[in-house]
Amino acid sequence: MEVTITVNGTAHTLDLEPRQLLVHVIREQLRLTGTHIGCDSTSCGACTVLYDGTPVKSCTLFGVQADGVEITTVEGLLTAAGLDPMQAAFKEHHGLQCGYCTPGMMLVGKALIEENTSPSDDEVRTAISGNICRCTGYMNIVTAIQAAAAATTDAPANA
Amino acid sequence: MLPSSFEYHRPTTIDEALELLASLGDNGKVLAGGQSLIPMMKLRFAAPAHLVDINRIGGLDSIEEVGDELHIGALVRHKQLARSELITSKYPMIAAAAPQIADPLVRNLGTIGGSLTHCDPSGDLGAVMLAANARVALKSKDGEREVPVTEFLADTFQSSIEPNELLTEVRITSPTGAYGGTYLKLERKVGDYATVAVAARLGMANGSIGVAGIGLTSVGLTNIKATAAEEALVGQAPSQELFAEAGRLAAAAASPVSDVRGTDAYKRHMVEVYVRRGLTRSAELAGVA
Ligand SMILES: Cc1cc2nc3c(=O)[nH]c(=O)nc-3n(C[C@H](O)[C@H](O)[C@H](O)COP(=O)(O)OP(=O)(O)OC[C@H]3O[C@@H](n4cnc5c(N)ncnc54)[C@H](O)[C@@H]3O)c2cc1C
Ligand code: FES
Ligand code: FES
């Protein structure tokens, strides 16, 4: 089935088998391997992508369902100007160790600060509660997302 | 994990979907949020030959009051339910349950229609809708039938929907007067299914309890409506003794089994505790405690 999926701003017309999961399309067809497969059973959030801005588990969505949809993966955070404030904050605040959960954490963080410009500890913890981290103990992830929120709010609109 | 092959259909109107379901019969399956069906297909517990994706059908995602009823569209996502102003202001039992379902990523996709049709005894909305005396609207090419949720949740993973039918809407009679409700869920961690959960609500009429609803999660082959407990409450003045009695009756209606989440005795005890607490909280919200 022919579909057009916009990934990180670039439209891709692809011929997909309906049973291909979105995560496989992203990793194997588009070769964007920043989106990880952890549990492959809808439980860990390592495969999180933004589906028209909403975080979803790409291991539990068929590629054909993304026809006409804008998908953002972790690769889409990087701009010509450099790291996204979310990436910069994770780097600055040690929000990652092995990095396996990090793409999902950052994308969930992006979606959160989009609608809540200064989330409390509890609000961040609720937002990331579908994403498992086996390394950090979450403290620095929470700090990093809050720092990114502050950096995004403080930045001049035309920056 | 790759599901077996299937043909994918994406209707944009209800009529088109009903036409497809009628012609596909047993070979067709509706795809809503996919948060139960896709995991089942990946494990090859389900291998439908055709999927009818209803996500692009407009008009199935509204939450509105029509006359004296609340209508919730089949495609209303758990997140939407949790955030709806109408729900949070007037339907406290649903408002308490929605943010406790699964995790935020699953809630972004999972739907009320999918939850009920999936008929998982550990599903949270099944207990809520039993306590609410909800009805579901089932449409087919031949027309529409309205089925009480008590009948719809027929058996474990087996609703009473026919292959040619689409669940389009969940309907509830809106509360009048002093009213309260809540959903108490015992879970090991966020995103886990309930060890035990209880949906409870109370509506007052002339100083005594006019309507009562109690639904149980994860303690039987389906979600359970604790009918004897409900009947014991109606017509009585709210009191701790009455709520404790309702708790005992609800625990007697439960048939939990021991598993990794706890022993049957523990679960039965927690039903009793949660029914008592849920009714107490409902009475507080109704302003009668
Ligand atoms: C990690 C995880 C944790 C979860 N935890 C919980 C939890 O704690 N509590 C809980 O209640 N649920 C939980 N769920 C399940 C979740 O709520 C699902 O979203 C829900 O059960 C199914 O809804 P869906 O829209 O995703 O349905 P789908 O998966 O798309 O469909 C489920 C079934 O319903 C049928 N169907 C769907 N919509 C219709 C319709 N309108 N008409 C006819 N048939 C239809 C499908 O054909 C299929 O048989 C969890 C899921 C996951 C992955
Ligand atoms: S890989 Fe998708 S949720 Fe774990
Ligand atoms: S940094 Fe290793 S899993 Fe989160």
Side-chain angles (χ1 to χ4, degrees), chain B residues 115-193:
Chain B
S115 283
L116 295 178
T117 312
H118 188 52
C119 229
D120 184 341
S122 307
D124 296 302
L125 290 175
V128 169
M129 294 306 150
L130 284 173
N133 286 340
R135 287 82 60 190
V136 293
L138 304 178
K139 269 201 176 138
S140 72
K141 258 179 72 181
D142 310 326
E144 179 186 304
R145 61 183 179 126
E146 193 180 86
V147 177
V149 169
T150 43
E151 266 173 51
F152 187 68
L153 303 179
D155 207 343
T156 314
F157 298 117
Q158 187 67 63
S159 79
S160 64
I161 199 163
E162 295 293 335
N164 66 339
E165 287 178 322
L166 185 69
L167 192 163
T168 54
E169 196 165 78
V170 180
R171 298 173 185 158
I172 294 167
T173 306
S174 303
T176 51
Y179 181 84
T182 194
Y183 189 72
L184 300 177
K185 179 172 177 177
L186 179 66
E187 57 184 357
R188 296 175 303 176
K189 59 176 272 292
V190 167
D192 194 18
Y193 287 92

Side-chain angles (χ1 to χ4, degrees), chain B residues 36-52:
Chain B
S36 294
L37 182 56
I38 296 177
M40 303 250 295
M41 290 174 65
K42 288 170 71 175
L43 295 166
R44 309 250 175 150
F45 289 151
H50 296 263
L51 276 193
V52 179

